[in-house]
Amino acid sequence: MAENSVSPPKERHINLVTIVQVILPLAVLGGVIWLFLTTGGGLRLTSPIPVEALSIERTVLKPGQIDITVRNAGREELQIAQVVINNAVWPFTISSSPAIPRLRTAVIHLDYVWSYGEAYAIRLFTTNSIPFDVEIPVAFETPIPNRRTFLAFTLIGLYVGVIPVYLGLFWYPALRQLSRRAMTFLLAVTAGLLAFLGLDTLAEALEQVAAVPGSFQGIGLIGIGAVGTFLLLDAISRRQKAVGRSEASQRLTLAYMIAVGIGLHNLGEGLAIGAAFNVGEISLGAFLVVGFILQNITEGLGIIAPVLRDRPRVATLALMGLVGGAPAIIGAWIGGFSPSPTLALLFLAIGTGAVFEVVYEIAKLIHKDIAREAVPLTVFSGIMAGMLMLWVTGLLIK
C-alpha cells in the first residue's frame, strides 16, 4: 500500500505585481489626504484664533532667578508675549527663538528675587492673549546635581528601596521551616501583594496622564509600556521553559522576575519622592519615605516566596534584593534632578506591565500546587492577606 505523502508548501516570491498591489492603496490614500488638506473637504472653514496648548515641564529656582521649561503641545507654533508674576508684569528672555515650534521645548528666564518659603503665581500669555498658569506653592532653591545632593538622593533610594527589601529577605531561613501548604499560602500572599502594587501603579500612571502633553497621548503610552512589557516578559518566560529547564531553575527565574517587577514599581516610588523634594515639598517627601519604607519590607517576602523550597546562594539572594530595591535610587535621581511627566508616565506603565506579568506567572505556579493538593481557601486567604497588607500600609502614604 502506497504511503500518503504531503508535499512541502511552495515558496512564494514577491513579484512586481504584488509590490504594486501593496503600494497602490497607500498612494491613493496619500492623495486623498492631500486633497482634503488643500481643499478643506469643501468646508473651507478657518479658526479665527489658533488652538494653543502649552505644557509646563519644569520650574527651576536659583538665587535671584526663575527658569520655566515649557513645551508647545499644540498643533501650531506659538509665541510667549508676556509674563505676569503675582499680578506684576515682568521682563523675560527665552532660550530659543521667540516662536516655539510644535512639540519643542523652550526655557523662559526671569530675573526675579524670590523669597524662601513664599508662594508665587506666574501667568504666561501668548501673542493670542491665551493664559497659562505656573504655580510655585513653596519657593525653594531647586536641587542641582552635585556631590552633596547626589549622595542625599542616593540615601533616600537606599532608605526606600534597598534596605526594606533586604530586611524582607532576612526572613528566608525562618520561612524555609514552613509546611508545603504554608509555602503555597506565601505564594498567594505574593500574588496579592503584586496585584495590589500593579493596580496602584496603574492608578498613578492614569493620574500622571493629566500632566503629559496631549500630543504625546498619555493613555497610548500606558498601553505601549504595559502591554509591551507584559508580552516581552511572557516571551522570555516561555522561551526558558521551552529549553527544558528544571522546575527549581524556573522558580529561581520567577523570583528574579518578581524582583524586576518590584524594582520597576520602586522606580516609580523614587520618582515621586525625588519630585516632591525637587519642588520643596520636604514634609511630603519625608512622609512618602517613611510610608514606603513600611510598605516595601513586604516586597522582600514576595521575592523569596518562589524559592523557599530550594537553596539559592547568598549571592543570588543579594542580587535579587539589589534588583528589587536599587531602582528606587535611580528614580530618586531622575525625580530630584530632572523630573519629566512623560518619562515618569512611561516608567509607571512599564512597571504596571511587569508586575501583572509576574502575577500571571505566580498564578500558574499556584495552579500546579492546587493540582497536587486542593487548597483553594488557602490561596484565597493568601491573596486577600497580601492585598490587605499593602492597603493598610498605604494608609500611611496616601
Side-chain angles (χ1 to χ4, degrees):
M1 188 171 79
E3 295 182 357
N4 293 329
S5 60
V6 179
S7 59
K10 296 181 180 180
E11 294 186 3
R12 297 181 180 272
H13 299 283
I14 299 176
N15 53 31
L16 182 60
V17 175
T18 303
I19 295 175
V20 172
Q21 290 173 340
V22 172
I23 295 177
L24 184 60
L26 297 177
V28 173
L29 181 63
V32 171
I33 293 174
W34 175 83
L35 181 64
F36 174 78
L37 293 177
T38 54
T39 65
L43 296 177
R44 297 188 179 278
L45 297 178
T46 57
S47 176
I49 299 178
V51 178
E52 296 177 332
L54 192 69
S55 173
I56 311 301
E57 296 276 307
R58 191 184 180 197
T59 303
V60 176
L61 276 70
K62 299 177 183 178
Q65 63 186 53
I66 301 174
D67 291 330
I68 305 171
T69 302
V70 297
R71 184 184 298 274
N72 179 6
R75 298 180 181 178
E76 301 178 10
E77 68 176 22
L78 59 79
Q79 184 172 342
I80 303 298
Q82 191 179 73
V83 176
V84 178
I85 305 178
N86 286 358
N87 299 321
V89 178
W90 204 262
F92 69 95
T93 59
I94 193 163
S95 60
S96 61
S97 60
I100 307 174
R102 181 175 186 265
L103 299 183
R104 297 291 182 86
T105 60
V107 178
I108 301 171
H109 177 79
L110 305 168
D111 290 318
Y112 186 86
V113 181
W114 50 270
S115 299
Y116 179 86
E118 295 292 331
Y120 293 93
I122 303 175
R123 175 163 288 185
L124 311 176
F125 286 94
T126 66
T127 51
N128 293 308
S129 299
I130 298 177
F132 296 94
D133 292 325
V134 182
E135 296 292 334
I136 302 177
V138 180
F140 175 87
E141 186 173 353
T142 305
I144 59 174
N146 56 38
R147 183 177 179 180
R148 183 179 63 83
T149 56
F150 186 83
L151 178 61
F153 283 117
T154 301
L155 289 175
I156 288 173
L158 286 172
Y159 294 147
V160 171
V162 178
I163 293 176
V165 170
Y166 273 122
L167 288 177
L169 294 180
F170 274 107
W171 283 328
Y172 175 78
L175 295 178
R176 275 187 54 82
Q177 310 302 319
L178 300 177
S179 65
R180 187 180 188 89
R181 182 185 289 264
M183 289 184 179
T184 301
F185 174 80
L186 283 180
L187 270 179
V189 169
T190 301
L193 289 170
L194 292 173
F196 191 96
L197 285 178
L199 292 171
D200 186 61
T201 308
L202 178 59
E204 291 177 11
L206 292 173
E207 290 177 2
Q208 189 70 25
V209 168
V212 174
S215 301
F216 289 159
Q217 306 164 73
I219 295 295
L221 274 181
I222 293 177
I224 291 171
V227 175
T229 304
F230 184 98
L231 294 178
L232 176 61
L233 292 179
D234 184 60
I236 293 172
S237 176
R238 291 176 184 273
R239 184 178 179 84
Q240 290 178 337
K241 291 177 181 177
V243 297
R245 301 184 65 184
S246 65
E247 287 194 5
S249 179
Q250 292 179 21
R251 287 195 292 269
L252 181 61
T253 300
L254 177 58
Y256 271 114
M257 292 177 66
I258 292 173
V260 169
I262 287 174
L264 290 170
H265 174 79
N266 286 337
L267 178 68
E269 292 180 350
L271 286 168
I273 295 171
F277 281 108
N278 179 272
V279 296
E281 296 183 358
I282 306 300
S283 59
L284 173 61
F287 190 67
L288 290 174
V289 169
V290 174
F292 285 138
I293 286 174
L294 293 174
Q295 186 183 66
N296 289 355
I297 193 172
T298 60
E299 295 176 351
L301 170 66
I303 292 173
I304 61 175
V307 293
L308 289 176
R309 303 169 191 171
D310 310 311
R311 292 185 178 275
R313 296 179 300 171
V314 174
T316 301
L317 292 174
L319 180 59
M320 287 191 291
L322 196 63
V323 170
I329 300 175
I330 300 173
W333 291 342
I334 297 173
F337 296 133
S338 57
S340 167
T342 305
L343 193 61
L345 176 68
L346 185 58
F347 283 151
L348 289 170
I350 291 173
T352 299
V355 169
F356 280 124
E357 203 286 329
V358 175
V359 172
Y360 174 62
E361 295 295 332
I362 295 175
K364 291 191 290 186
L365 191 59
I366 292 175
H367 182 71
K368 289 183 180 179
D369 290 340
I370 292 178
R372 297 169 185 165
E373 183 181 359
V375 285
L377 289 179
T378 301
V379 174
F380 168 78
S381 57
I383 292 175
M384 290 296 101
M387 298 187 76
L388 284 171
M389 242 192 288
L390 287 192
W391 182 80
V392 171
T393 55
L395 292 176
L396 302 173
I397 304 171
K398 303 299 181 181

